[in-house]
């Protein structure tokens, strides 16, 4: 709590007639908010002898923590990997548009690009609190260019890089400043990658393994060096094999350091991952599953030719490919669609589906004290959903920032 007499005098909001997602369960409780944080109503009543100043009826909706998308390349015509003259306005547009899909925080993601793009773009995507203007920016996700040539997917081969003798200096020379970065995807089989993982981890940057031909032993060594995430599990990595399951084997590895959770992203767009694969991953390691959209600039635009960094993309119905190929290059499904697809594919509980898009990404980023939860003291970022998990309203810091249109009779 921000504290002081001003905080005590600030208005208290009470959200009623809802089912709260808290501690893995949907509870018939009210949500109390003051100054953008979630309050303990008993403490409020007994310590301050106060009741709510305003009361809002949620109409029986599910009230869940706001969704967090840690891998989104752009959307609505905005390409985060394009060094435009006004990068900030593009990020702001996406931040505003994704509110309709229940996303209250996100990590703008840059795919493999030449150094000059990173140098120009990264300084213009600072960490930023969310609000009526749009979802909050938690930091940039850098996906590449230190990845495998064989598993590059839609990443342009000409801009791939390896770690040279001065490995971390190569990283800094490629990206420029890392101040705004929170996740970095690399291939752990690259020489000197473990040195880089340790350096990045020391800076508080989450290292993710992806676009890789690493075997399980290489992946385990990377986790022991500090890596904590897997970029879009099953995609752009060696397929599971019973004698060496590769990076996928981290989900059940006994070589992960005690107390460490390996998180993994999954694109539940109905295209990237077969429902059976979603079920296998979820049943093997449910607490590590993080739903990501991997959305591209074509999100919200429909069929046609678009861009993704240095590549031209063709969108046909629900699929996006590198132009002239059959190589998938990201998704055009927003987060709420991914949550519904995941729920249907796995048959998991509503609570599990919602936590995969909120609590788990917050835990990955070390933000579970304030994001991805409705616990007392957390940020009041939440989404109202109907029983079919369609977004009815989105709140940031307890303030309504998006609301579905009411159907006219």
């Amino acid at each position: 709590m921000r504290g002081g007499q001003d905080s005590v005098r600030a208005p208290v909001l009470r959200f009623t007639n809802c089912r709260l997602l808290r501690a893995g369960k949907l509870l018939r409780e009210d949500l109390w908010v003051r100054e953008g944080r979630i309050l303990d109503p008993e403490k409020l009543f007994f310590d301050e002898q106060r009741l709510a100043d305003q009361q809002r009826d949620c109409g029986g909706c599910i009230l869940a923590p706001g969704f967090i998308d840690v891998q989104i390349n752009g959307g609505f015509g905005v390409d985060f990997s394009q060094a435009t003259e006004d990068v900030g306005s593009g990020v702001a547009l996406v931040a505003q548009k994704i509110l309709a899909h229940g996303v209250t925080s996100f990590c703008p993601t840059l795919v493999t690009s030449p150094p000059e793009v990173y140098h120009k773009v990264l300084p213009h995507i600072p960490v930023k609190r969310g609000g009526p203007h749009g979802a909050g920016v938690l930091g940039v996700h850098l996906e590449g260019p230190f990845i495998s040539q064989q598993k590059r997917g839609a990443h342009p081969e000409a801009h791939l890089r390896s770690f040279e003798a001065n490995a971390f200096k190569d990283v800094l020379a490629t990206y420029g400043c890392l101040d705004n970065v929170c996740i970095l995807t690399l291939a752990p089989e690259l020489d000197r990658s473990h040195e880089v993982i340790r350096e990045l981890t020391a800076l508080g940057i989450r290292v993710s393994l992806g676009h890789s031909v690493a075997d399980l032993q290489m992946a385990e060594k990377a986790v022991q060096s500090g890596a904590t995430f897997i970029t879009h599990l099953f995609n752009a990595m060696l397929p599971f094999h019973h004698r060496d399951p590769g990076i996928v084997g981290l989900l059940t590895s006994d070589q992960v350091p005690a107390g460490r959770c390996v998180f993994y992203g999954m694109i539940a767009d109905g295209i990237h991952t077969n429902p059976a694969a979603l079920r296998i991953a979820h049943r093997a390691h449910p607490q590590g599953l993080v739903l990501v959209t991997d959305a591209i600039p074509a999100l919200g635009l429909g069929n046609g030719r678009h861009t993704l960094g240095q590549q031209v993309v063709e969108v046909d119905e629900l699929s996006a490919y590198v132009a002239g190929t059959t190589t998938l290059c990201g998704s055009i499904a927003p987060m709420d669609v991914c949550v519904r697809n995941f729920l249907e594919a796995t048959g998991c509980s509503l609570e599990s589906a919602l936590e995969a898009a909120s609590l788990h990404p917050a835990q990955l980023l070390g933000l579970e004290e304030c994001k991805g939860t409705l616990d007392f003291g957390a940020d009041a970022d939440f989404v109202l959903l109907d029983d079919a998990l369609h977004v009815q309203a989105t709140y940031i810091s307890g303030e309504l920032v998006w609301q579905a249109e009411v159907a006219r009779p």
Side-chain angles (χ1 to χ4, degrees), residues 143-216:
E143 187 186 3
F146 299 100
I147 58 175
S148 164
Q149 189 275 337
Q150 297 99 305
K151 292 294 181 181
R152 67 185 184 278
H155 293 241
E157 184 176 8
H159 301 303
L160 299 183
R161 299 174 71 91
S162 57
F163 301 118
E164 303 303 329
N166 297 312
F168 194 63
K169 289 184 179 179
D170 294 336
V171 171
L172 294 176
T174 298
Y175 299 124
C177 181
L178 295 174
D179 289 352
N180 299 336
V181 175
C182 68
I183 304 175
L184 195 150
T185 295
L186 55 77
E189 69 271 19
L190 297 179
D191 287 344
R192 306 178 186 85
S193 64
H194 303 289
E195 172 190 336
V196 171
I197 292 171
R198 288 190 288 270
E199 293 273 9
L200 291 169
T201 302
L203 293 175
I205 295 172
R206 269 51 181 179
V207 175
S208 187
L209 311 181
H211 288 278
S212 167
V213 294
D215 59 24
L216 178 56

Side-chain angles (χ1 to χ4, degrees), residues 53-302:
D53 299 287
Q54 299 176 35
Q55 188 162 296
R56 299 182 184 178
D57 189 322
C58 297
C61 282
I62 295 168
L63 197 156
F67 299 149
I68 300 171
D69 194 351
V70 300
Q71 187 175 5
I72 173 172
N73 309 289
F76 316 99
V78 175
D79 188 338
F80 298 145
S81 300
Q82 292 278 342
T84 61
E85 291 302 316
D86 195 356
V87 173
S89 65
V91 174
L93 175 64
V94 174
Q96 195 277 325
K97 291 283 190 180
I98 59 179
L99 295 174
H101 302 288
V103 178
T104 54
S105 301
F106 70 115
C107 298
T109 304
L110 274 65
V111 297
T112 294
S113 304
E116 57 267 23
V117 169
Y118 296 119
H119 294 181
K120 184 168 184 178
V121 172
L122 286 178
H124 297 288
I125 312 182
V127 173
K128 185 177 182 180
R129 292 184 64 85
H133 58 276
V137 175
L138 300 175
V140 174
H141 179 169
L142 295 172
E143 187 186 3
F146 299 100
I147 58 175
S148 164
Q149 189 275 337
Q150 297 99 305
K151 292 294 181 181
R152 67 185 184 278
H155 293 241
E157 184 176 8
H159 301 303
L160 299 183
R161 299 174 71 91
S162 57
F163 301 118
E164 303 303 329
N166 297 312
F168 194 63
K169 289 184 179 179
D170 294 336
V171 171
L172 294 176
T174 298
Y175 299 124
C177 181
L178 295 174
D179 289 352
N180 299 336
V181 175
C182 68
I183 304 175
L184 195 150
T185 295
L186 55 77
E189 69 271 19
L190 297 179
D191 287 344
R192 306 178 186 85
S193 64
H194 303 289
E195 172 190 336
V196 171
I197 292 171
R198 288 190 288 270
E199 293 273 9
L200 291 169
T201 302
L203 293 175
I205 295 172
R206 269 51 181 179
V207 175
S208 187
L209 311 181
H211 288 278
S212 167
V213 294
D215 59 24
L216 178 56
Q217 187 175 24
M218 291 175 181
E220 289 170 338
K221 184 178 177 183
V223 170
Q224 290 160 6
S225 295
T228 55
F229 193 41
I230 303 171
T231 295
H232 43 54
L233 187 76
F234 297 122
N235 291 280
M237 60 187 60
L238 292 179
F240 179 91
H241 189 280
H242 58 283
R243 281 192 287 274
D244 191 333
I247 289 176
V248 176
L250 288 173
L251 273 62
T252 57
S253 171
D254 60 0
Q255 298 301 307
V256 173
R260 177 86 58 80
C261 179
V262 175
F263 294 93
Y264 59 98
M266 298 215 73
I267 310 168
D269 63 346
I271 303 296
H272 277 77
T273 313
N274 186 280
L278 282 170
R279 289 191 289 273
I280 288 170
H282 178 252
R283 292 173 189 176
H285 185 33
Q287 65 270 33
L289 196 149
V290 174
L291 288 175
V292 300
T293 62
D294 198 21
I296 61 174
L299 171 67
L301 299 184

